Amino acid sequence: MAGFRLTKAYTMPKQDLREAAEDFARQLEREHGVRSRWQGDTVQIKGAGVDGRLSIEDGVVDVSVSLGLLASAFKGMLKAEVQRYLDEHVS
């Protein structure tokens, strides 16, 4: 199973970071039909061929994504989209 992992340090207030993560999860739901579920400071994202997790830890956002066979063809695009969102919304 293909996938990727991204991390980004943050210094912004944790509540602002959580709001940015919630916005991203809603965007993914609208645009890609995935489902998201929060548990503490971690959001699980699941969809056809995609299983992801975004967790907010002390000073670091950790994104881990596993891709099924068909979704793995879009790995580069998906990774770039997540990286762009982190770069624009996490500080």
Side-chain angles (χ1 to χ4, degrees):
M1 190 176 254
F4 60 90
R5 184 172 183 193
L6 298 169
T7 59
K8 180 163 178 132
Y10 73 90
T11 57
M12 64 195 293
K14 195 171 187 177
Q15 183 57 37
D16 292 348
L17 180 57
R18 181 167 173 124
E19 288 173 13
E22 289 172 351
D23 288 344
F24 189 50
R26 282 191 295 272
Q27 177 183 336
L28 291 173
E29 288 174 349
R30 278 191 316 273
E31 294 177 5
H32 302 290
V34 299
R35 297 176 316 278
S36 64
R37 180 176 59 89
W38 280 92
Q39 184 173 5
D41 287 333
T42 300
V43 61
Q44 297 283 340
I45 298 171
K46 294 188 183 275
V50 178
D51 186 7
R53 178 182 64 89
L54 181 149
S55 45
I56 301 169
E57 301 169 7
D58 291 331
V60 176
V61 176
D62 183 18
V63 179
S64 177
V65 178
S66 296
L67 301 169
L69 184 60
L70 294 176
S72 66
F74 301 99
K75 176 182 173 181
M77 182 184 72
L78 294 170
K79 184 176 180 180
E81 182 177 349
V82 173
Q83 185 67 61
R84 179 189 56 76
Y85 197 89
L86 290 174
D87 290 344
E88 290 178 6
H89 298 279
V90 176
S91 59

